[in-house]
Amino acid sequence: ASEIKPQKARRVYIETYGCQMNVSDSELMAGILTRSGYEMVDQLESADVVLVNTCAIRENAEEKVLNRLKHLNHRKRRQPNLVLGVCGCMAQHIKTKILDAAPYVDLVMGPDSYRSLPRAIQSMTTGDPFLGLKLDKSEDYADVAPVRKEGVRAWLTIQRGCDKMCTFCIVPFVRGRERSIPMHLLIDDVKRLVHEGFKEVVLLGQTVNSYYDGEKSPLYPPLTKGEAKRRGGDFGDLLVAMNEVEGLERVRFTSPHPSDATEPLIEAMATCDKVCKQMHLPLQSGSTKVLKAMRRTYTAEEYRELVARMRERIPNLSISTDVIVGFCGETEEDFMETCDLMAEIRYDAAFMFKYSAREGTLAYKTLNDDVSEEEKGRRLREIIELQERISHEINQALVGKIVAVLAEGESRRDAEHYHGKTDSFKTTVFPKGDSNVGELVRVKVESATAHTLLGEIVA
Ligand code: SAH
Ligand code: F3S
């Protein structure tokens, strides 16, 4: 692809909303812009291009962005040359609504259009907003080097899009079909990241464990399943290969889909010492009836069995989850099944949401959003309370134990302390002592809340 040089120095500020995939996409956008001669800045005040990378997963995410755009328009009035762009999932989802609500926006770019960002920013003189909204199943940005902030943990997108089509979810519509990046490129990426000083890599994908090298990618010569297998090509193989990268301390991944939790994945987690014993395994509901309406492709019983199998093979496995309450047709009984399953599994942590109908999805088109807002609120408060209690108990049980923590940086509250994560992804705060950022230290836990461990380094 030809590189476009900016006509004059253009300083770009990117503001990111939503999930880690968006954070990773912002790094990708920074990569595309930097190689075209743009400069990335950390402060809105010094930018002449502001890109808002948006989230469309729930209605409140969209509202937040629309308010933010209004606010940014005030700045645009004072700084008429300011280029304001809306990127990401919401750009793809409600392009016309954005143009109606925020006609002052200069460009609207979906997740498969970021290659055109330099051209879009340059064409700002024409007056009409630049629209980049084609989904492109052959776009994987495999050749683009993302620009990351220095740090200990790097996020690496290994797969884009999603083929699962859960009835509540907008992701397949705004991010398109599933496609994976070839394994040898990912291994090269990780070696480069280690060389740059990163210690931990988090592999990212919407259903990260359905990753398959080559076979599913329309970009590269297709392999038959047999060929791919012989070459070593599924997610378990990728973990095994990552585990061998010298200098890398830890590997994590998010988010796996329960239906793709295969034997090779479990085996790799059980045997690879760099692969953290941590799994974010979205449940969504504990009611098989609701799961069916969601098209999650597993029953509550199958999920329960998977967790049991994984815990048996991977001692001390930390499990977290996502849960939606108030989905179409969810009765009090269904909700109780969710509570019971959460109480039985005892997750280390959970992200919990009220169902939010998304235009375009199958649930929006064919199911009745029949649980009242008030009832959704009550159910949400109830499971949050349940989960807080469980997280607190699990963390209390760690008091007196020694955990391995990768020091990430100074604690926000106290410059004499570092914060970092345990293997199980629990935030831990401890006095710095002689330790350095990027070092793996042993910390004796002295106290704990539902979300944080506090401790001291031990030799
Ligand atoms: N496969 C992705 C899912 C991304 S969305 C992943 O696991 O990373 C993240 C979570 O948002 C989902 O697991 C689900 O719990 C929640 N979610 C998605 N669509 C929603 C909706 N319409 N209303 C409420 N919550 C939703
Ligand atoms: Fe969404 Fe289901 Fe894919 S939650 S991202 S459609 S696995």
Side-chain angles (χ1 to χ4, degrees):
S2 68
E3 287 173 25
I4 297 167
K5 299 279 172 243
Q7 284 145 341
K8 46 187 170 175
R10 288 284 206 177
R11 290 174 304 255
V12 185
Y13 176 77
I14 304 181
E15 199 166 279
T16 310
Y17 292 82
C19 65
Q20 276 312 322
M21 186 65 81
N22 264 8
V23 175
S24 178
D25 274 4
S26 290
E27 293 171 346
L28 182 82
M29 287 154 64
I32 290 168
L33 289 165
T34 312
R35 76 176 182 190
S36 285
Y38 289 84
E39 183 195 340
M40 306 309 298
V41 294
D42 290 332
Q43 240 110 35
L44 177 63
E45 288 68 31
S46 48
D48 33 30
V49 180
V50 175
L51 302 176
V52 185
N53 192 3
T54 63
C55 173
I57 200 79
R58 284 168 293 272
E59 195 177 355
N60 54 8
E62 281 186 353
E63 273 164 18
K64 204 159 132 192
V65 170
L66 287 173
N67 285 333
R68 183 62 182 154
L69 290 177
K70 246 183 254 165
H71 182 83
L72 288 170
N73 190 35
H74 294 315
R75 171 168 293 276
K76 210 167 144 64
R77 287 214 196 99
R78 275 178 280 133
Q79 189 185 335
N81 288 333
L82 185 76
V83 174
L84 178 57
V86 180
C87 304
C89 298
M90 193 177 152
Q92 195 72 43
H93 184 216
I94 53 164
K95 51 232 163 206
T96 42
K97 210 154 133 198
I98 290 175
L99 293 174
D100 287 347
Y104 43 82
V105 158
D106 299 297
L107 53 102
V108 182
M109 312 281 282
D112 287 344
S113 305
Y114 298 149
R115 233 175 251 281
S116 316
L117 272 173
R119 192 155 54 86
I121 294 169
Q122 261 191 32
S123 70
M124 279 312 69
T125 44
T126 60
D128 286 335
F130 186 102
L131 304 182
L133 295 165
K134 271 222 190 70
L135 287 175
D136 177 358
K137 71 175 194 300
S138 69
E139 178 59 276
D140 67 358
Y141 301 111
D143 60 311
V144 179
V147 171
R148 296 175 172 87
K149 295 222 167 67
E150 268 180 35
V152 169
R153 175 178 308 118
W155 305 87
L156 182 65
T157 298
I158 68 165
Q159 171 201 64
R160 301 185 67 85
C162 181
D163 276 354
K164 284 281 194 285
M165 289 290 189
C166 302
T167 56
F168 55 81
C169 185
I170 197 69
V171 170
F173 300 93
V174 295
R175 288 190 165 273
R177 302 302 301 269
E178 178 186 321
R179 65 217 96 133
S180 290
I181 294 173
M183 195 180 296
H184 71 275
L185 295 178
L186 295 174
I187 302 297
D188 288 349
D189 284 342
V190 171
K191 286 181 180 159
R192 205 172 314 118
L193 288 169
V194 168
H195 188 73
E196 287 168 18
F198 290 97
K199 305 286 181 195
E200 176 177 314
V201 167
V202 189
L203 309 176
L204 284 182
Q206 298 296 343
T207 55
V208 71
N209 53 334
S210 68
Y211 174 87
Y212 217 99
D213 184 17
E215 193 214 24
K216 279 193 173 179
S217 169
L219 277 187
Y220 304 90
L223 303 172
T224 66
K225 203 152 192 154
E227 275 172 323
K229 280 243 167 74
R230 266 197 302 284
R231 278 176 35 169
D234 72 3
F235 187 68
D237 296 318
L238 181 64
L239 289 181
V240 169
M242 294 281 167
N243 195 55
E244 279 159 18
V245 175
E246 222 165 292
L248 185 66
E249 296 273 2
R250 283 175 169 177
V251 183
R252 302 181 194 276
F253 53 91
T254 199
S255 291
H257 191 287
S259 297
D260 293 317
T262 58
E263 193 47 37
L265 160 60
I266 299 173
E267 177 69 15
M269 281 188 82
T271 55
C272 296
D273 57 328
K274 292 178 185 173
V275 177
C276 292
K277 310 308 174 220
Q278 176 230 338
M279 184 96 166
H280 182 70
L281 199 61
L283 168 68
Q284 312 303 1
S285 170
S287 153
T288 293
K289 185 196 95 189
V290 174
L291 287 171
K292 208 164 183 185
M294 289 174 163
R295 294 214 179 152
R296 283 294 289 179
T297 69
Y298 52 84
T299 64
E301 199 45 46
E302 284 165 342
Y303 185 98
R304 183 183 275 121
E305 277 164 15
L306 171 63
V307 169
R309 194 149 31 97
M310 292 197 69
R311 280 185 165 156
E312 197 183 299
R313 295 278 295 285
I314 309 160
N316 295 320
L317 177 67
S318 162
I319 307 182
S320 56
T321 200
D322 292 344
V323 176
I324 297 175
V325 295
F327 187 63
C328 312
E330 184 188 78
T331 62
E332 181 64 20
E333 229 168 39
D334 295 321
F335 172 64
M336 288 314 294
E337 285 183 14
T338 300
C339 296
D340 289 349
L341 194 54
M342 289 178 77
E344 180 191 320
I345 288 180
R346 293 178 67 79
Y347 293 103
D348 287 78
F351 297 98
M352 295 159 279
F353 313 101
K354 289 191 268 188
Y355 170 59
S356 164
R358 309 310 291 135
E359 204 176 326
T361 60
L362 200 65
Y364 179 90
K365 286 192 250 179
T366 63
L367 301 175
N368 203 355
D369 184 9
D370 55 1
V371 179
S372 72
E373 193 52 34
E374 197 188 357
E375 183 57 21
K376 284 177 185 171
R378 182 192 68 82
R379 291 180 192 176
L380 182 63
R381 282 192 301 279
E382 215 160 283
I383 56 167
I384 288 176
E385 204 174 296
L386 169 67
Q387 184 55 46
E388 287 282 303
R389 184 168 57 72
I390 294 169
S391 296
H392 187 83
E393 286 168 6
I394 290 176
N395 288 354
Q396 281 301 318
L398 287 171
V399 173
K401 301 245 157 68
I402 292 171
V403 290
V405 181
L406 189 54
E408 271 173 52
E410 267 175 20
S411 157
R412 234 174 291 153
R413 295 216 193 119
D414 183 349
E416 295 305 305
H417 286 65
Y418 280 141
H419 70 92
K421 298 278 192 195
T422 62
D423 185 282
S424 57
F425 210 57
K426 290 182 199 290
T427 300
T428 309
V429 177
F430 54 93
K432 288 176 177 175
D434 298 330
S435 67
N436 294 303
V437 166
E439 217 176 289
L440 205 52
V441 292
R442 282 158 43 88
V443 174
K444 184 166 183 199
V445 181
E446 280 165 353
S447 65
T449 68
H451 303 281
T452 314
L453 309 177
L454 299 170
E456 294 270 356
I457 296 182
V458 291

